Structures are given as C-alpha cells and as structure tokens.
C-alpha cells in the first residue's frame, strides 16, 4: 500500500491551547492575494506561457534545496541532471525523478518536504507520497497535469492569486520579456534591478559585462563616471518597466564610499584586468553605497542580502556553474558595515532599505535595533535556509520585541520554484498565526490586535514596503 | 467605544499545563520588595521629591525605548520634543502625547507596551487604552494624578516596595543629593560609581573632566599616577556615601593592562589633546583592568556592560546628544577579552564582577562557561533590548544548563523610567515563574525547589550579589 | 525527613499534547543498545576490571562538570581533591563527598543534576537525595555497592547494554590495554586516534612526544617527512587495534595546508625549540588538513571539535593541570576554515568527517548548510556544554530544517564519567522523542516516520556514521 499524501489542515499550527486561536487567525489570512516582491522565477515562463516540462526538470533539477540534500547523501550531481557547463547530460528525467522519490525520507523535517507536499497535493492534486514504488506513477500523473492548459504559468498566476510577482534581472537585461508582459498583464509581472555582476570587478567576464552595460545604456562605460551614468540609466529603464526595487547579494554588508579618485583608479585598473582582490572588495562596498544614493534619488527600494560565500566548492562551480547548492553562509556584520549608508540616508525621505540575512545572530543584536530606530529600514522575511517553520518563528521571537511588527517587510518569498509560491506564503501565514496565537494565549497580545497584525504581515506590509 | 485597558492577571505566564504551576510560583514572589542595584533614575527626583511634570515629559520624551520606535516609523525627533542641544523646543507636551497615543499599535509585541500598560493601569489607575481618540482624556487624567501627593517620588518609592535603589553617578559628581538622601532615607537611595567619561581619553571634553576630577578629589590629575589616585579617592567617597558598585559601559570587553610607562605616555598625550584612537582604546581597556584591581581592593561590585556602539548616527548625536535611541549593539567577545582580569582576580577573595550583554550569542558560548567556574563572576539580568519576555526566557534557557541559577545576579532593572520599575520586576518574576514551571511540568525540577529558586531569583540573589 | 530521589518516568519529555506521543517514541528506543564512538573513559578501567574506588573519586573528583560548579560557588579546588601536579592531596574522600552533597541545590536546572539523579537512582539504587544530612549515609551505601562484583566495569558494560565503546588514546599510546581487550571482549572496547599533542609544536614537551612517536612507530621523526610517516604508521596500528575514528581538538577549525617547504621549515624550527606562536598555529591547521588527507586514504572517521580556549586560568593550570573546568569556548568559524579540506575531500569517496561545536551560532549558519550538501560531512551530537536538554533541543531546531536528520551522526556521548553513559543516551533519546513528538502534534511529521527517525537517531545513524 503506498502511503497517502494528505497535508493536515492544521499543519504547522501550534498544538495545545494556541491552536484554536491560530486556526482563526490563519483562516483570516489564507485567502489574501500573494505579493511576491523578491522573486527569482524566470521571466520567460510568463512571457512565453509555455507548458512546463517533465516533473524532474520542473521540481528537482532547478531546485537547489532539493538537489543539495540528495547530493549530501551521496547522489552524484550528474545522476540528478544538474546542468553542466559542457552541455553533457546523461541522466534521463524519469531516472532523476526516481532518485528523488526513493529518497523522500531525507526531507523529513525540512521545509522542502513541506512545500513539496503542498505542491503535490494542493497544486497537482496527487494523493500518494513519493517513494521508489510510486515514482513512475507520480511521474506520469504529474506529466499529464502539466500538459493541461490550466497548468500553464499564467493560468497558475491566477489560480495562485498572485497579485504582483517580481523577477530578478541583470542590469544589462534588455527587458524585452517585461515589455511584452507590461502589455499582456500590466503591473503583474515586474522586473527587479540586480547589478551584482557589474559591481564585482574581479569576477571573470566583468569587462564584457561592463561593455554590454554601456551598449544597453547607450553610454560610454570606459570611465568610472560613464559606468555610474550607465547604471543610473538602467535603473531608470527598470523603473519605467515597472520595477519597484533593486536586489544586492554581497559577501559582506560593507558599504563604505571611496573618494572619487580612488574609485576611478580601481575602476581603471579593472578595465586593464589588473584589479586586486582587496580593491575589488572595496569597490563592491563603495558601489553598495552608490546604489543607496541612487535609491534615495529614484525611489527604488534597496534589498540587501549579504553573507553567503558563493561557490564554496571550486570543482562543482567549474563543472556546473553557480547556484548548485554549494553556497555557505558566513558571519555577517551590519552595525558598522551599514553605518555610512545610515549616516547619510538612514533618515532620508525617499530612501527605503530592506535587510535580509542568513546569520540569525544579527536578528536581536543588530537588525532589530537598526530597524527599530531608522525610519528608512525594514527587515525582510527570513531568507533562504531560514525560510522554514522554526526559522520564521525564531525571526519573530528575536525581532519583534525590539523592532515591533511594523518595521518588518511582511512576507515575501525568495524562490525560483514557481509551484512552491503558494506553499511558502501559506507556511509563513501559518507560522505568523501560531506566533500571534501564542502571544494571545499568554496574554501578551489581544486577539483583535492579532487579527490586524496577521493581515498586515501577510499582505499590507509587503505592499507598503515596496509600493510607495 | 475606546478600548479598555485591562492587563490580564495571567499575562506573560505560559499557557497549558505549566500555567497553574507558574501562577503559584509567581504568587509566591509578587509581593517581595524590589532591589534596584543597577538603576539609572535621576537622583534629583528623590532628593527634591517634587511632583512629576506632564505625561509627555514623564512617559515619552525621556524614554528612548518609546521615542526610537516612534522615530522608526517616521515621527521626526522634534515632534517628540527630544531635547536639543541648542535648547530649542517647539513641540507642546500635549502634542507629543498625541503623537504617541495615536501610534500605540506600533508597540504591539514589545516590552514597552507591556510596561506602559502596567504603568497606566496599576500605577496610574487608567482604564482606557491610548489612541488618537483617547489621547486628550488620558493626558488630563494622568496630569491630575501626578499632581497628587501620593504620586511624589518618595511616596512611590514606598508604594513600589523599593527596598534599595541605586542611581548612576559620574565619578566627578559632588554627591550632594546623596548626602541629603543618606540623611532622609538612610541606605535606601545609593550612588553607583560610573567613571566611563574619564577613561575614554579621546572624547571631547575629557581634559576638563580630568581637571574636575582632580578638584573633586583634591588631587593633582596632571599625571597618570595622580589620576589613578583621584579615581581611588572618588571610589572611597562613593563607598562612604553608600555605593555598593561601579558601572562600566565600554564598546568592547577588552581589559588588558598596559605597562605603567605606556599608560603614562598615553595619558600625557591625551593631556596635550594628541591621543590617537588606538591609544585611547588601549587605555580604556587598561582602565577596565585598573578598575577591577581597585574593586578587588575596596570591594565595590564591578558591573560591566559592553558591546554597544553609541551614537550610531552623528547628526542625531550632534543635534540631540547621547542616549536618543541611536545606540546599536555589536558582536562582543568575553573569553579572551576578560582573560587578564580573570587570570588576576577571577579567584580573588574580595572581587565581584557582574557581566551584562546585548549579544545573546555569548550566553551559552562564553558567559555561562565563565560564570560557571569563576567564583567572582555573576551574570547580570538580560539587559536593554533583551530585558523582554522572550529575551529573559532565552537567557534562562541558554545560561542555566551551564551556570545554574546561583551564578546569576537575580533580577536588577536598568531603567531611567521610574514608573516602569514595578512593571519590569513583575515581568521578570513572571518569566522566571514560567521558565521554572516549564521545568516542573517537564519533570526537570521539583516544585518545592522551584519555589526556592523563584525567591532567590526575585530577591535573595540580587541581595547577596551586591551586599557582601 | 530526607528528600526522596525519584526520577520521574516522564522526565525531560514535553508537557501537553506532545507528551503521549513522546512517551511512545521514547518507549520504542529506550531498550536499544548504546553506541559510544566518541568516549573518553579510561581504557584501564575495562582492561583491569578492578572495582571502582570511593564515591568521591568516582563521581566528584574526575567530573569537571561537577567540580567547576562547586568551584564557581567558592569551594577551593583543594577541598575537592583536584589532583595537584605536586602530588599533595589533603582532602579526604568523605569530606569531598560532603562538600558536594551539601551543595546539591547548585545543580538545579543543569544536566549534571539530571545525569547524577539517574546514576544514583537507576545505576546505584539509592533512594534519598544528596544533602548535608544524607551525605554520610549515601557515601556508605555507594561504597558498599561499588564493592559488589556486579559494579565492576565489565559487568556494567553488559548491564548498560553498551555494544561498542571507544576510548581516546594518544597517538603515542602503546595500545597494550587494547590488545588485551581485543582478546577478552573482541570489538567491544576500541581505541580512537588522538594526535593533538603531536601537532601543536609550541606546547611544552612536544619534542619528547615527537621522539616517543618515532620510537613507537619505529620511524625517524627528526624530519617532517619522517614525522608524517610515523603518524601514518600509528594510524595503521590503531586501525589494526580496532579504531574507527580519529579525534581532533583545536582552538580553531582552520585547516589550510602549507607548502611542503614551509611545513618542513616550521617543523625544523620546532625541533630546535624555536617555533613562533604564529608558525605553530599555521602548522596545526596544516596538520588538520594532513589528517583529513590520511583519513581519505585509510578510512578512519575524522572527528573535529574546535573552539575551546583550554586552560583559561594559568595558575589553575600550573597547579592542577589541564581539564579542570577552566576551558572556555570562543566564537568559531567553519565556512572559510574548512574550505581547503572540503574542496579537496568534501566529495571524496573514502572520507568522512564529523563536526562538533560549542558555538551554537554556527548550527544554522554554517554547519547545517555544510552538512546539507557535502556528502562526506555529518554533524556530531551537541557537545560538552551543549549536551543538555535545551542544548539538544536547540540543535535539532537549528539544524534539521537545513540538514535533515540523516546528515547528523546520531547520538554519541562524550564523557569520562562511565556511570553517566546510560543517563546521557537516555536523555538524548528523550529529547529527540520530544522534538519528534512536537513535529507530530504540529502535523509537520507523521507518527510512523517519527518512530523510524527516532530509531535512526538513537542507534542506526551512529552505526552507519562510524562503521563503514
């Protein structure tokens, strides 16, 4: 007998006295539309609206949460079909799917399992759990579903009640898909400006990108001033295409401006391919400050998520490229690092910064105290490894007492996995409902206030954080 | 209908099975007197015993927990009447009060809300919650209360059952108010010796303070040895005035002694106004060691609370001065930093050190292991941003298993807000009751032991930590 | 009336709805045999199988958890009979025992109290709690028990259902006891290879140890290459004697290889007694890498537990030697420190590394992300100060969501206190049962899965981590 797949209606709600309160609170938010202002779904999905591929290429291969767990238990990346830079792919989708299904128990206790159960059950209408035995049956059932018109990306956008979703787009992107989407689905799928590749001068290929940036912006990027101007113009183009925000992933939160002469010198050395690692790091921090300055001018919300050492394993990176699960967090510092930005823009009218972290030690020590006094700062939802039931609970417990609820951004997902979006929002709403219910039953919050806060966390705060 | 203000009798107690046990434990401690050995209330309050001013100047303007939250949501400091260095004040008390009341929801989930509800209800006898609608009514009601004789500071001292309260006084203070209080209320309001301003050689105005110190101590402070002698004499004067402790707020816990020659050289350079930032930091660490040495001699308990980067925003500091909510914690290190002090005095008969932190990562990693072996060290109550329901619970959970209960100092508040003192002690007693009750219902502690520990945490340990 | 000693059958299980589930889960694991692959019990105990000494020398003197707590409350080390380097001992066992019993309340809320209650009640069959009044009676009762044949070490090995126990042995050990045990109790008591003393070149006595190593390995250790060869041979001898693992305690997790020439230069300088502290630290990190390389060859599991500053108090160390409770953790970094090892061996077939920490901040930030992708890495059980009810609960809460259950090593104790082994495993099984039960009642895990995971955490994972 295969095991049934039946997500429980009370899943991720607290047990005991708080459950009944949590149920009521969750019921009051579960039908609110979804705001996805920090997404990473590929824009092409919505622009072309083609049917999704097979189950493996939809649900396993591109989801680094899933592949990293399988790799950690000895499944070779090639057997999971991780896209190789040399283009070779030997694994068949059905075999990949079997690898995954037969190791379903590895995901016990993880948010991936939680999201996938939700996707399987509520989105795809499956009723048996993955296992070696059920793999083929599930593969076929999912394949059949994906061929139906109501499983096309735009149809799901409606079904998921996604009010707005942002994609993440390189500063050099031509935004052609977004132009099409602005016509087809006005205001619904919007770009986010991500200049990371352009501000890290020592990454291979930087020169070519700077060149591209110049072409795209119709500006000469052979000088530092031209480069700044080109970035400014691209931000403007993104804004015109509907963007509300920028997105910055740096190794540290360091954001100290350089003197113009120093920035120019480093930029010039990078043009000659001679930039040192220290200079490149200083320039990245300088550009974080410059991006803040531009945000203060043009009003794009600045999203910062520092503290991940990307591509920890060089061979994996060489063979499979970035984002293959080998990104490991490091301790992160905000108080001193962001001080130059906060000195200058922390109280500035037009500025808005949303801070994310994967270093929980900064929640109560740095982030809540910063957001709890600087009017321009909001704390983003628990990010990446922390976008999980206990991770989200700890975020509230560590942040609320100093920053309150209203200095947080409301829930925004952070995913490439389109089908997981409803599960992620629903889980966040459940965890917040549980946290609020606990405060209610401990008589630290009155129930009517809890309902208001729940609505704000699930919807209103994301809206007011990003749309200004 | 304005919302009623009715703090629940079970507030901040755990739900479920543990509640009944927690109630009993809390009931056993709730009438114990209060010991306030780490206070920051202005001594003038008790010396002059004048009536408090208006509600805004009592409850909003001087409470940086309250003003920082309002500022974080866009209320300009001037609209809150934050005292400017140029003396200009435009906001009327009633308007400040309205700003506060109309944003009461910002405080949901914070300890400020918890304390204020207690103050409004139990101390001031109000029965409606703050809101835009009730602001004026509350303003008038509170004003009327404050004019009554039973709301004078000394009357409240009795009503609050405050057995001893310490104030915090600059090393250069003349202690005149304390002389008066020693006569009027012997042993009840005592000074604490705070030399911070004198050991940070690079702060503006240091020279003048060193001069004042010399005059006050009748000692020539033009030399380093004279300066040490003057500090020694002032400590003696504080002890004579009833002081039990010293209080030290440094950016780090570094406490490495310098050679005499090096200390002299740095001191001399500071006298000429030429001290470097590095030298000043080294001297501050050196003086922490010297203060420990003097404590080992004179028996004053040494309280250390490091790890806050003060005045994070220079413009706010320039306009409004210190302590305006723009103080942000940084990661703190104790194991290596305090080693010189602990090598020398960690097992010394007369020495006693109480350690505070706003970096929770040090609880289980450094502080509990240190206090769990060095007989001279006690861990102070959760401090500042951590003086909160979940903050206090985490403290117990992270500290007890390594340091036990008896290496902690018992609850001491840390507040300038006199009216909040009963609320803070009561909240701590509730959280400790809840923590103990949880251990009881999980059969990790027997109930009779829990009652004894609760008494010790609420009263006995503070007494034995400070009175020796 | 002396207080009764009655460990509650539900001790350390959660209250409320989860209790019943936790009881069932715990019942399903409580009779499983014990695997003790990370032990520190003295091998001589099992080799000679002599009766244990008096209660003080069995339960107080050698247990640094116990003595550090007593010292922290002012009991001088000499009154506890801590073994002095000068051989002087003045305290009588019975007096030591009285010191301990009369301060039993200090241990409230600590795992030491929990383990000791279990030992007193379940192992020694006592029924009154320690106190000043009961000290003598308990001393006599325990002494009588220890004289009985069923309290000999080997008899207890059976009674405790210890399937395999490893001891920790210096690389220079002659393994004679282990040879005897391999004959008497094949595969049941095995050695673990601990080379720490040999890789820290600046510790007093290093030269003599290197000399001994050479003799033991019949290799000339006057050169760096000979030293490496000697270590390789000793590893082989340990493997032949049944060893499954190596054990490494370093101040940091730094594991960067040096060039051969640099390693040779530093080694040679150490031979002359002229090594610098920086060079010694670099060499220690280099040797961690070399040990990983050898593990990848010979298959010994590499256990790393960094981050403790040993012998924090020099006078205590000078008088009483190491391991006397004055070891204090420091912040630890894994992501960058282990990168060289993981680059080279993180995906290597024969390699297996088990990581321990006393810095909880690394659980969700570094350790779970590392173990959640590298197939060679497992996370060890909560270690030392964290081997406690709340410590173990936090470990699961902080690790599981990213690394799952199957990238953890299962429970292994880490103790010198032989009698505490059943208590420690039982406590871990209770805490895991409670954690799993909480997931079950929050509908985040199905109950049948919880039973399987509980078996794996209590037994199977330790087996598959170490026996390969």
């Amino acid at each position: 007998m295969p095991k049934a797949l039946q997500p429980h209606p009370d899943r991720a709600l607290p047990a005991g006295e708080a459950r009944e309160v949590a149920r009521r609170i969750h019921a009051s938010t579960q039908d609110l539309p979804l705001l996805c202002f920090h997404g990473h779904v590929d824009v092409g999905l919505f622009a072309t609206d083609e049917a999704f591929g097979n189950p493996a290429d939809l649900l396993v291969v591109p989801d680094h949460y899933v592949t990293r767990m399988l790799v950690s238990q000895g499944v070779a990346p090639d057997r999971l079909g991780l896209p190789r830079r040399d283009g070779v792919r030997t694994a068949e989708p059905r075999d990949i799917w079997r690898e995954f299904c037969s190791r379903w128990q590895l995901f016990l206790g993880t948010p991936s399992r939680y999201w996938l159960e939700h996707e399987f059950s509520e989105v795809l209408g499956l009723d048996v759990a993955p296992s070696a035995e059920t793999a083929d049956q599930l593969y076929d059932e999912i394949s059949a579903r994906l061929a139906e018109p109501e499983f096309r990306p735009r149809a799901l956008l409606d079904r998921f009640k996604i009010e707005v979703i942002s994609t993440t787009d390189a500063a050099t992107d031509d935004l052609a898909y977004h132009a099409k989407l602005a016509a087809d689905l006005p205001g619904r799928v919007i770009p986010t400006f991500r200049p990371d590749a352009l501000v890290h001068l020592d990454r291979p290929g930087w020169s070519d990108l700077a060149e591209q940036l110049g072409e795209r912006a119709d500006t000469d990027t052979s000088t530092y001033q031209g480069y700044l101007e080109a970035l400014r113009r691209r931000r403007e183009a993104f804004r015109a295409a509907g963007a509300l925000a920028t997105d910055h992933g740096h190794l540290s939160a360091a954001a100290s401006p350089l003197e113009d002469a120093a920035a120019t010198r480093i930029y010039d050395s990078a043009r000659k391919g001679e930039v040192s690692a220290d200079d490149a790091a200083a320039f990245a921090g300088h550009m974080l400050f410059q991006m803040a300055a531009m945000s203060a001018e043009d009003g794009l919300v600045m999203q910062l998520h520092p503290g991940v050492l990307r591509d920890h394993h060089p061979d994996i990176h060489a063979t499979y490229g970035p984002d293959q699960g080998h990104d490991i967090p490091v301790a992160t510092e905000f108080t001193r690092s962001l001080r130059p930005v906060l000195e200058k823009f922390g109280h500035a009218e037009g500025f808005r910064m949303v801070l994310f972290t994967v270093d929980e030690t900064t929640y109560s020590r740095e982030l809540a105290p910063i957001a709890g006094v600087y009017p321009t700062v909001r704390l983003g939802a628990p990010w990446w490894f922390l976008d999980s039931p206990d991770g989200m609970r700890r975020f509230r417990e560590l942040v609320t007492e100093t920053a309150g609820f209203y200095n947080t951004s409301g829930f925004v997902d952070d995913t490439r996995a389109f089908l997981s979006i409803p599960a992620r929002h629903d889980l966040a709403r459940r965890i917040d409902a549980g946290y609020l219910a606990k405060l209610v039953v401990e008589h630290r919050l009155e129930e009517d206030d809890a309902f208001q806060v729940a609505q704000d966390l699930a919807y209103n705060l994301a809206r007011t954080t990003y749309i200004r």
Side-chain angles (χ1 to χ4, degrees), chain A residues 152-228:
Chain A
R152 293 286 171 93
R154 290 188 186 184
L156 290 176
L157 214 48
D158 288 343
R159 182 169 154 210
F160 291 170
K161 293 195 192 160
I162 292 177
E163 196 172 290
V164 186
I165 187 168
S166 80
T167 62
T168 312
D169 310 271
T172 48
D173 193 275
D174 67 6
L175 300 177
Y177 276 149
H178 277 288
K180 177 165 163 45
L181 283 159
D184 293 0
L185 301 168
R188 193 114 176 250
V189 182
I190 59 177
T192 294
F193 180 79
R194 182 145 192 176
D196 287 356
L198 282 161
V199 304
H200 291 95
L201 307 183
D202 56 351
R203 291 207 190 142
W206 173 80
S207 280
D208 294 347
L209 279 176
E211 219 49 52
Q212 273 180 46
L213 170 71
E215 281 159 35
R216 190 70 72 206
D218 201 13
T219 307
D220 176 9
T221 55
S222 70
T223 67
Y224 166 64
Q225 291 300 339
Y227 160 84
L228 281 188

Side-chain angles (χ1 to χ4, degrees), chain A residues 94-106:
Chain A
R94 191 177 286 267
D95 291 330
I96 296 168
W97 184 252
R98 288 171 181 157
E99 297 281 3
F100 162 69
C101 288
S102 65
R103 287 175 181 82
W104 183 230
Q105 88 284 2
L106 296 181

Side-chain angles (χ1 to χ4, degrees), chain A residues 231-444:
Chain A
L231 286 168
R232 211 173 273 119
R233 289 191 189 183
R234 291 308 299 152
R235 293 174 64 104
E236 200 42 46
F238 271 70
R239 254 174 42 86
L244 297 171
T246 68
D247 199 17
H248 307 269
H250 283 219
L251 179 55
S252 91
S256 291
L258 299 167
E259 300 284 323
D260 258 17
T264 301
R265 179 186 60 72
I266 296 174
Y267 189 85
D268 292 345
S269 70
R271 294 274 305 169
K272 293 183 217 140
E274 295 168 356
V275 72
S276 71
D278 282 354
D279 274 354
F283 191 84
H286 168 73
M287 286 307 298
L288 219 43
F289 184 91
Q290 294 301 323
M291 289 294 110
M294 291 187 199
S295 272
E297 276 172 32
D298 64 23
L300 288 175
V301 172
M302 181 173 190
Q303 300 176 109
L304 177 61
H305 35 67
V308 180
L309 198 160
R310 307 272 173 169
D311 309 318
H312 193 257
H313 195 275
D315 284 357
I316 294 283
H317 182 246
T319 309
Y320 303 97
D323 300 323
Q324 296 307 339
H326 285 70
D327 304 318
I328 313 287
V330 292
T332 309
E333 204 282 337
F334 289 94
T335 302
R336 291 178 170 106
S337 301
L338 289 182
R339 198 178 189 188
V341 165
L342 294 170
E343 280 180 7
K344 188 85 176 180
F345 309 112
H347 285 271
E349 199 68 27
F351 186 59
R352 166 67 44 89
M353 185 178 230
V354 184
L355 297 176
F356 298 84
T357 195
V358 275
D359 180 354
E360 301 185 81
T361 70
T362 63
Y363 282 161
S364 74
R365 187 180 61 216
E366 303 173 42
L367 291 178
I370 286 172
V373 70
Y374 283 106
T376 55
V377 177
R378 293 286 178 276
L379 301 187
W383 176 48
W384 200 333
F385 300 111
L386 304 175
D387 180 9
S388 63
D390 284 328
M392 292 193 280
R393 176 184 54 73
R394 289 194 299 271
F395 173 75
R396 291 287 170 218
E397 288 179 359
L398 287 158
V399 156
T400 308
E401 296 184 324
T402 290
F405 294 107
Y406 293 97
N407 289 308
T408 64
S409 74
F411 185 73
V412 289
D413 63 85
D414 167 62
T415 186
R416 294 151 215 276
F418 181 50
L419 260 57
S420 76
I421 289 178
R424 287 165 185 254
H425 284 257
D426 181 59
L427 180 55
R429 290 169 184 188
R430 288 170 182 271
I431 297 299
D432 283 340
Y435 173 72
L436 294 166
K438 184 166 177 288
L439 294 185
V440 169
V441 298
E442 292 180 356
H443 303 293
R444 294 161 61 190

